[in-house]
Amino acid sequence: MKLWWGWACVLLLSLLALSVSQAEAQDDLEMEDETEEAMVEDMVADGEDSAEIEGEVEGEAEGEKGADANVSFQVTYKTPVPIGEVYFSETFDDGSLDRWQVSKTMKEDADDEIAKYDGKWSVEQLKENKVPGDMGLVLKSRAKHHAIASLLDRPFIFQDDALVVQYEVNFQDGIDCGGAYIKLLSDEDDLDLEQFHDHTPYTIMFGPDKCGEDYKLHFIFRHRNPLNKDLEEKHAKRADVDLKKFYTDKKTHLYTLVLNPDNSYEILVDQSSVSRGSLLHDVVPPVNPTKEIDDPTDSKPEDWDERAKIPDPEAVKPDNWDEEAPAKIQDPDAVKPEGWLDDEPEFVADPAADKPDDWDEEMDGEWEAPQVPNPVCETAPGCGQWKPPTINNPQYKGKWKAPLVDNLNYQGVWSPRKIQNPDYFEDLAPFQMTSFRAVGLELWSMTSEIYFDNFIITSYKEVADRWAGDSWGLKKLVASANEPGVFAQLTMAAEERPWLWVVYILTVGLPIGLTVLFCWPKKSDDDYVYKKVDPPKPNVEEEEEDDEEEEEEEEEDKGVQAAEAKATESPKPAEAKKEKAEEESGAAGGDSVEDEEEEEDEGEEEEETKSNEAASDDVSAEQKEEADDGGHSVGDGHKQAVRKRRVRKD
């Protein structure tokens, strides 16, 4: 029972610890959000032309326990202005696309019906969590090609300054298959934004892309081979976190790419790093080729033996090895069940079937009723020809094969020899890419209503962060204010996945049930425990009996002391009288006297036993001393009297 109680307590404590950890994790997330909001508010407060946020909390008391507070945000939005040096910035708050050029060309290598870039663009507000006055670029068409681009204020040249690219994306209707990435178009002499298409040269492609269950965050740059001047795409490694939520939560997310002159890069989503690495080591294919390659002219010799094991050439098939023996044979011990109907077919023609009226025997052939199980066989073990069941053949061995032994001529796995790579080069500064002077969106999507906003290209991360605080930060605050509570979110999740209700019930009900089962106050022990094994009433009676015995013993002690006092005064006359009386009674009575003496002896022995036990257990130290002082004389007197009586009796 104790072991079961211990395991139950351990389980209960584990569940409580799990609940506390989940609550702490939720609190940490909330604190993280509050920290980010506070950071955004600080950025907003520091900017001269930033938005002004005023939060009004209004609540009325309801009852003695308090009241719910209704929080409403009044947002006064002002178009953010970049503070610092930038190469490009766009907010779309003027509601026009005057700065942008929609492509008017055709997509190469595609059917004429879908090759045209005829997808529609629009400047409008968000569908949910709107910030009054904030506008963005929206992809409006479904299953069409879209292309739009804009020139930078001045070209970006990769030299000593870092590159920071940042913009916002919101998949307002989710995303099935499509992308929301941008292209930084290379600074070419023949760059024409009206002819912007999928093969227009670009330097960097960056942004989210999704098709099926493959969630990607692209960072692709084109590297120029210093030997032959060819351009080759280099793909950064995949993000270190799960990106699914950024595509499905229908919130505005901030995507940031940072490239440094030391060839390091970092990708951030909502100002949190999701991937970082080096342009030299963390891209595929690598920037620099290997120094050695396989010799294309080398070939494996004909006598090269790559077999590590070979059949033993000296092995011989045993004489009793029968390769023709079947794997299965009929069971020789099987016996046909009694009542087997050999003459009855297993299936018979359906007697209830009728030939269809439109049956043409010339076209369809002779009509035959469909077959049904023979009803006679339902009560019998079986019908038709009986065959014994098959079993594994104990004599079956299969085809004989010689055992394998080590190959003495084994030479290992052949590989071609290595030669110097004629195309080898070493570029230690892949950051120095082709300069670019335009930014463009060239997309195809099966989902519409993709929202883009607040593009910025700069060399300073601080400038991009302040820009984000004046723009994306407001959207985050409004979305957080309009977000449902925890219980509402749990309910919504359970509506999408009904099995979550079971998880909720177990999470809440199991700790409560265990707490009630093991921690509920037990019934008092006095009510039922001692009634079964050790009733309390007999204990009380025994105590009363002990008290009475003690009182009787005390009275007897007093009587003994009084008798002793009298005995010390006149012992001899008393003895003489007693002996004389005994002799007279002995002469007269005989047997009756002996019986009386035996009864007196037994009574005196019982009194001595009781007095000794009471003196050893219950008397105090002083009473013990007094008993010791007078006990010897009393005890001696009694012993002598008893001894004399026993002698006379004998």
Side-chain angles (χ1 to χ4, degrees), residues 183 202 205 220-223 231-235 284-285:
K183 291 182 178 180
Y202 70 90
M205 188 176 85
I220 303 172
F221 69 93
R222 304 215 305 172
H223 177 262
L231 289 170
E232 185 179 20
E233 290 183 351
K234 308 295 181 181
H235 296 250
V284 179

Side-chain angles (χ1 to χ4, degrees), residues 210-430:
K210 184 251 183 182
C211 197
E213 290 299 317
D214 189 11
Y215 300 89
K216 297 180 181 179
L217 183 54
H218 289 300
F219 166 41
I220 303 172
F221 69 93
R222 304 215 305 172
H223 177 262
R224 187 177 296 278
N225 188 318
L227 298 180
N228 54 24
K229 306 303 179 183
D230 291 341
L231 289 170
E232 185 179 20
E233 290 183 351
K234 308 295 181 181
H235 296 250
K237 65 178 183 179
R238 297 181 70 93
D240 301 328
V241 300
D242 185 10
L243 302 174
K244 183 176 181 179
K245 64 178 181 178
F246 303 124
Y247 297 80
T248 57
D249 60 4
K250 299 182 181 180
K251 294 181 180 180
T252 303
H253 294 288
L254 184 71
Y255 295 88
T256 308
L257 171 65
V258 181
L259 290 180
N260 298 308
D262 62 355
N263 300 320
S264 64
Y265 72 87
E266 184 176 16
I267 300 173
L268 303 97
V269 179
D270 296 344
Q271 298 183 329
S272 297
S273 179
V274 298
S275 179
R276 62 177 64 192
S278 170
L279 300 178
L280 286 171
H281 309 295
D282 299 310
V283 296
V284 179
V287 170
N288 297 315
T290 58
K291 292 183 178 181
E292 294 183 338
I293 61 172
D294 294 337
D295 186 359
T297 62
D298 191 14
S299 60
K300 184 174 70 173
E302 295 181 358
D303 59 349
W304 189 276
D305 196 345
E306 293 182 338
R307 300 174 300 166
K309 297 283 187 178
I310 60 173
D312 186 359
E314 299 179 356
V316 179
K317 183 176 71 172
D319 296 336
N320 60 350
W321 192 284
D322 185 5
E323 294 184 348
E324 304 297 331
K328 297 282 186 178
I329 60 173
Q330 291 183 350
D331 186 0
D333 299 330
V335 179
K336 184 173 69 172
E338 295 183 2
W340 189 279
L341 305 177
D342 296 276
D343 299 333
E344 290 289 341
E346 188 174 356
F347 292 93
V348 296
D350 186 1
D354 296 327
K355 184 174 69 172
D357 296 336
D358 57 350
W359 187 274
D360 188 352
E361 293 188 356
E362 294 182 358
M363 298 292 296
D364 303 326
E366 184 180 357
W367 180 81
E368 294 181 358
Q371 298 289 308
V372 295
N374 191 344
V376 178
C377 300
E378 293 179 357
T379 57
C383 295
Q385 183 181 0
W386 179 81
K387 294 181 180 179
T390 58
I391 59 173
N392 293 326
N393 185 1
Q395 304 300 326
Y396 173 75
K397 297 182 180 181
K399 187 176 180 181
W400 182 85
K401 293 181 180 179
L404 297 178
V405 296
D406 293 336
N407 184 5
L408 301 178
N409 297 323
Y410 176 66
Q411 296 173 277
V413 178
W414 181 86
S415 60
R417 61 175 175 267
K418 299 291 185 180
I419 61 173
Q420 293 295 322
N421 186 0
D423 298 326
Y424 172 75
F425 64 86
E426 187 176 26
D427 183 2
L428 300 179

Side-chain angles (χ1 to χ4, degrees), residues 75-88:
V75 178
T76 304
Y77 176 80
K78 291 184 179 179
T79 301
V81 176
I83 301 175
E85 184 179 0
V86 298
Y87 294 87
F88 179 81

Side-chain angles (χ1 to χ4, degrees), residues 87-107:
Y87 294 87
F88 179 81
S89 64
E90 178 62 82
T91 63
F92 303 102
D93 289 343
D94 57 1
S96 67
L97 293 174
D98 295 340
R99 187 177 179 181
W100 294 76
Q101 177 63 55
V102 178
S103 178
K104 299 178 181 179
T105 188
M106 303 278 288
K107 184 178 178 68

Side-chain angles (χ1 to χ4, degrees), residues 538-610:
N539 292 341
V540 175
E541 293 177 356
E542 290 179 1
E543 291 178 358
E544 293 177 354
E545 291 177 357
D546 293 340
D547 294 339
E548 292 177 358
E549 290 177 358
E550 291 177 0
E551 292 177 357
E552 292 176 357
E553 290 172 356
E554 290 178 358
E555 293 177 356
E556 290 176 356
D557 291 340
K558 292 179 180 179
V560 170
Q561 292 176 1
E564 181 184 3
K566 292 180 180 180
T568 55
E569 291 179 357
S570 57
K572 293 181 179 180
E575 273 184 16
K577 291 180 180 180
K578 189 174 183 182
E579 290 177 358
K580 187 177 181 179
E582 288 176 353
E583 290 176 356
E584 292 176 357
S585 60
D591 296 336
S592 61
V593 174
E594 291 179 359
D595 295 336
E596 290 176 0
E597 287 179 354
E598 289 178 1
E599 291 176 0
E600 290 177 359
D601 293 341
E602 291 176 359
E604 288 176 356
E605 288 177 0
E606 290 179 358
E607 290 178 358
E608 286 180 2
T609 304
K610 291 181 180 180

